[in-house]
Amino acid sequence: LKEIRAKINSLEKSRDTLRDLLHFEDFEQIDWYSIAKKIDELKAQKEELESSSDIVKTLENRLKKIEDSYKEKRYELTKLHQKQGKIISDIEKFQSEKEESLELYESQKDNLEKYGLELKSYLKEEKVLKLELHTIKRDEQRVRESIQKQISSLSAKIDRSSQKIISNMQSYIKEFPTFTKDVDASTSSISEFEKMFNGLKKDDLPKYEKKFKKLFREGTIQHFLTLKTRLEEEESAIRKKIGLINNSLKSIEYSSGTYIELSMTKSIDSDIREFKEDLKQALSGTVGGDDSYDESKFLQVKKIIERFNGRVNLVDVDKKWRKKVTDVRNWFSFGANENYLGDGSLKEYYSDSSGKSGGQKEKLAYTVLASSIAFAYGLEDNSSKSFRFVMIDEAFGKGSDDSTKYGLELFKKLNLQLLVITPIQKINIIEPYISSIHFVHNQDGMDSSVIGLSVEEYLEGKR
């Protein structure tokens, strides 16, 4: 099989070669030798002619020079055509610019007469010694840039000045809203502000400065001094009243071997502390000459008055503030000390009644209640002859007998006149503290009747 395959391959190659040979129908198609021989003959003939005649060589040289000269002339001609085209284009351009310039000149003739000298100064600044047609665009650009630079600088100055003016307007409007309610903070309102300024100059306000200081000293400052004095008097009165109440409380035994004493310390409330400090600063240094009544003093006073009057958008807040800081009772934090009768040393301090028993809370409540009523009425020496009436409804109904006695003794010591409405079972406790009794009886809830007795008649009937 291998030998047969090798033979088949050899025969196929022979077949393909014979088929390729059959493509050539004429010998000339493959006769390369005859063509090569002819080329060699022609080359030899050419060399023979060239070597035998100088005329041909001379002609060839002249032909070459002529060809080179032709190429050069064609190049020069092309350049001339280009130059000619540029000149024609420039002529058209300059003609158009001339027409535009004439048109612009006619439209700006008046401005040139008006700003001619100024324009010359710009040209001088830019070192333009002479206007030339070929440099006029460049010179125009330089002058335009110079002018635009000045415009930008001036615009920036205008913006800064405008902002400063508007800022001052806003401050003035905020400071004097009553006089500026019809204007706004903008450059369009400058004329209105000028009118206000001229009005101030016309009124010659500076000459009233001395009068203002006098009024400020004798009016406002004096009123502030009066306010401070009144508040301090109330503060002193509170301390005095608390002292009188404590003298009465000291004679009443609170619990075994102790008595109650009301205590008071300065409030740590920030509003009250700031108000007292502001009031102090406003009045500091105002005793003496006029020099102390400067603008800073005026601003200190103004700050307090504005809050008293109620600032814009803060009227309710300032109203609460005013009520708090001018109520001298708020200047103190109150509590109660339970002291030993023997040496007056502290047993316990009460800021409230939390953590205490029902009886302790009741007795503490009686103390605060009776002290508050006595404080309102006052504890002068002739207080026993004044009308100091207190009516207590449902009194002592659920309290202990000990607490009831403490409360009644407390009211007695503080010279308070009582009408006690209480259940009948408490009569025996309150007998020593009353001068008359009125029994109210309601049969079947339809008809009430009242029987009035003096305490002596009651006790006689009871016996």
Side-chain angles (χ1 to χ4, degrees):
L1 285 172
K2 288 181 181 179
E3 288 175 359
I4 291 170
R5 285 194 187 99
K7 189 173 183 180
I8 288 170
N9 288 336
S10 175
L11 290 171
E12 286 177 348
K13 287 180 181 179
S14 298
R15 180 197 66 192
D16 293 340
T17 302
L18 288 171
R19 185 179 60 206
D20 291 340
L21 287 172
L22 289 174
H23 290 161
F24 299 102
E25 297 179 356
D26 192 337
F27 177 71
E28 289 182 357
Q29 290 179 278
I30 57 173
D31 186 12
W32 61 273
Y33 179 78
S34 297
I35 294 170
K37 185 178 179 182
K38 189 173 182 178
I39 289 170
D40 291 340
E41 289 176 354
L42 289 171
K43 282 182 177 180
Q45 187 179 355
K46 179 176 179 289
E47 290 174 357
E48 184 180 353
L49 287 171
E50 288 175 347
S51 60
S52 63
S53 177
D54 292 335
I55 295 171
V56 175
K57 190 177 286 184
T58 302
L59 289 173
E60 285 179 346
N61 291 334
R62 286 182 64 187
L63 178 62
K64 187 175 183 306
K65 287 180 180 180
I66 291 170
E67 286 176 347
D68 291 341
S69 177
Y70 175 74
K71 287 180 181 179
E72 186 177 348
K73 296 299 182 184
R74 283 297 298 267
Y75 176 72
E76 290 178 359
L77 180 62
T78 300
K79 287 182 69 177
L80 288 172
H81 283 157
Q82 291 175 347
K83 190 174 181 180
Q84 181 187 29
K86 186 176 183 303
I87 291 170
I88 293 171
S89 175
D90 287 345
I91 290 171
E92 292 174 352
K93 176 185 173 185
F94 292 148
Q95 187 64 34
S96 175
E97 289 180 353
K98 175 187 173 184
E99 292 172 0
E100 289 177 5
S101 298
L102 288 172
E103 185 178 345
L104 182 63
Y105 174 76
E106 290 297 328
S107 65
Q108 299 294 329
K109 188 183 291 184
D110 295 338
N111 287 332
L112 283 171
E113 292 176 2
K114 187 176 181 180
Y115 299 111
L117 291 175
E118 193 171 345
L119 182 61
K120 285 181 180 179
S121 68
Y122 278 112
L123 292 171
K124 190 175 182 181
E125 284 180 18
E126 297 301 322
K127 298 180 181 179
V128 178
L129 303 177
K130 186 178 179 181
L131 289 173
E132 299 288 347
L133 187 63
H134 64 281
T135 61
I136 194 164
K137 287 290 183 183
R138 183 193 65 194
D139 296 334
E140 178 193 3
Q141 183 64 27
R142 285 166 64 182
V143 172
R144 186 185 297 277
E145 289 174 355
S146 175
I147 294 173
Q148 186 58 51
K149 188 176 179 181
Q150 290 191 34
I151 290 172
S152 299
S153 176
L154 291 171
S155 296
K157 282 184 179 180
I158 289 171
D159 289 340
R160 289 195 298 271
S161 298
S162 296
Q163 291 300 320
K164 189 175 180 180
I165 289 169
I166 290 170
S167 176
N168 288 331
M169 284 178 171
Q170 289 171 339
S171 299
Y172 187 77
I173 289 171
K174 184 178 179 181
E175 190 77 10
F176 304 102
T178 305
F179 302 105
T180 55
K181 60 184 178 181
D182 296 327
V183 296
D184 60 344
S186 65
T187 52
S188 61
S189 299
I190 286 177
S191 59
E192 296 298 323
F193 277 86
E194 284 180 340
K195 288 179 183 177
M196 286 189 277
F197 176 67
N198 291 330
L200 292 173
K201 287 171 65 179
K202 184 179 178 181
D203 292 339
D204 196 12
L205 291 183
K207 76 178 183 180
Y208 294 106
E209 183 178 0
K210 188 175 181 180
K211 183 179 180 182
F212 170 77
K213 283 188 174 182
K214 182 180 179 183
L215 291 172
F216 183 61
R217 181 181 70 252
E218 297 178 357
T220 308
I221 293 296
Q222 189 59 44
H223 287 313
F224 262 63
L225 191 58
T226 301
L227 172 65
K228 184 172 182 292
T229 302
R230 286 287 299 276
L231 293 174
E232 288 174 350
E233 286 174 353
E234 288 190 26
E235 182 181 18
S236 178
I238 289 174
R239 293 183 185 277
K240 182 180 178 182
K241 286 182 179 181
I242 294 296
L244 291 171
I245 291 172
N246 282 335
N247 286 336
S248 299
L249 292 174
K250 194 171 183 180
S251 62
I252 306 170
E253 190 174 36
Y254 180 72
S255 60
S256 181
T258 66
Y259 67 94
I260 286 291
E261 178 185 57
L262 299 180
S263 68
M264 51 194 299
T265 57
K266 288 185 177 181
S267 173
I268 60 172
D269 184 90
S270 59
D271 285 338
I272 291 172
R273 286 191 292 107
E274 287 174 10
F275 168 69
K276 291 170 74 175
E277 182 61 28
D278 289 343
L279 194 60
K280 179 181 176 182
Q281 290 299 324
L283 293 170
S284 65
T286 56
V287 179
D290 294 342
D291 295 340
S292 59
Y293 298 93
D294 56 8
E295 186 175 355
S296 63
K297 188 64 61 182
F298 170 77
L299 292 175
Q300 288 173 349
V301 172
K302 180 173 177 287
K303 174 186 174 184
I304 300 173
I305 291 176
E306 281 180 344
R307 292 209 71 179
F308 276 160
N309 290 334
R311 296 165 294 176
V312 178
N313 300 324
L314 294 170
V315 174
D316 292 336
V317 174
D318 286 346
K319 185 178 179 181
K320 292 178 181 178
W321 172 85
R322 182 176 69 243
K323 186 176 181 181
K324 178 169 72 172
V325 299
T326 56
D327 187 342
V328 181
R329 292 173 297 182
N330 294 325
W331 292 16
F332 299 99
S333 294
F334 294 98
N337 297 327
E338 185 179 356
N339 300 329
Y340 289 106
L341 285 168
D343 57 2
S345 60
L346 179 67
K347 177 185 178 183
E348 192 169 357
Y349 172 76
Y350 304 97
S351 60
D352 53 52
S353 61
S354 59
K356 305 302 175 186
S357 67
Q360 287 177 313
K361 288 183 179 180
E362 189 175 22
K363 290 176 73 174
L364 197 57
Y366 285 148
T367 304
V368 174
L369 175 63
S371 300
S372 300
I373 295 171
F375 184 92
Y377 278 126
L379 285 171
E380 293 78 7
D381 293 337
N382 62 347
S383 60
S384 60
K385 297 179 181 180
S386 63
F387 185 69
R388 305 161 61 77
F389 182 73
V390 179
M391 182 171 68
I392 308 177
D393 191 15
E394 296 293 336
F396 318 121
K398 298 178 181 179
S400 66
D401 291 349
D402 181 56
S403 296
T404 301
K405 287 180 181 179
Y406 172 79
L408 290 167
E409 190 66 30
L410 189 61
F411 280 100
K412 179 181 177 181
K413 288 285 186 181
L414 295 175
N415 293 318
L416 298 175
Q417 302 150 9
L418 297 184
L419 169 60
V420 181
I421 304 169
T422 183
I424 195 168
Q425 63 267 28
K426 290 291 182 178
I427 293 296
N428 61 321
I429 302 298
I430 66 174
E431 286 173 3
Y433 301 95
I434 58 178
S435 60
S436 62
I437 297 172
H438 297 271
F439 285 103
V440 180
H441 180 66
N442 191 339
Q443 186 68 35
D444 300 326
M446 296 296 291
D447 186 19
S448 295
S449 59
V450 180
I451 300 174
L453 301 170
S454 66
V455 70
E456 290 81 6
E457 290 174 329
Y458 166 73
L459 292 174
E460 180 63 29
K462 188 178 180 182
R463 281 194 295 272

